[in-house]
Amino acid sequence: MMKCPDCRGKLEIVRACRKVAMKCGECGREYRIHEVADQIDEEAEEALGRWTAIVYD
Ligand SMILES: [Zn+2]
């Protein structure tokens, strides 16, 4: 499970158009993928892999 660096809440993948971000379910803070890249686990990788047109900004 990916955790929010701020509050340790659970991060969920959110998708908006061609952009993908991680959003904390606790504090609502959004992170770009590269900001939490060190936390990407198998579950997240699989989810990200479903979107072929991902733009990592
Ligand atoms: Zn948080």
Side-chain angles (χ1 to χ4, degrees):
M1 172 176 121
M2 294 174 71
K3 288 179 185 168
C4 174
D6 247 19
C7 71
R8 315 312 290 171
K10 186 182 180 185
L11 288 179
E12 286 172 16
I13 300 167
V14 289
R15 190 189 179 196
C17 298
R18 294 173 58 210
K19 198 176 122 184
V20 175
M22 303 299 299
K23 187 172 185 181
C24 176
E26 295 293 321
C27 68
R29 210 181 143 181
E30 281 189 29
Y31 298 91
R32 289 177 184 179
I33 298 296
H34 73 83
E35 289 181 293
V36 289
D38 61 326
Q39 284 207 62
I40 291 177
D41 55 16
E42 272 182 40
E43 188 190 334
E45 210 169 286
E46 197 188 298
L48 291 170
R50 286 187 212 124
W51 301 315
T52 54
I54 288 169
V55 176
Y56 291 94
D57 64 346

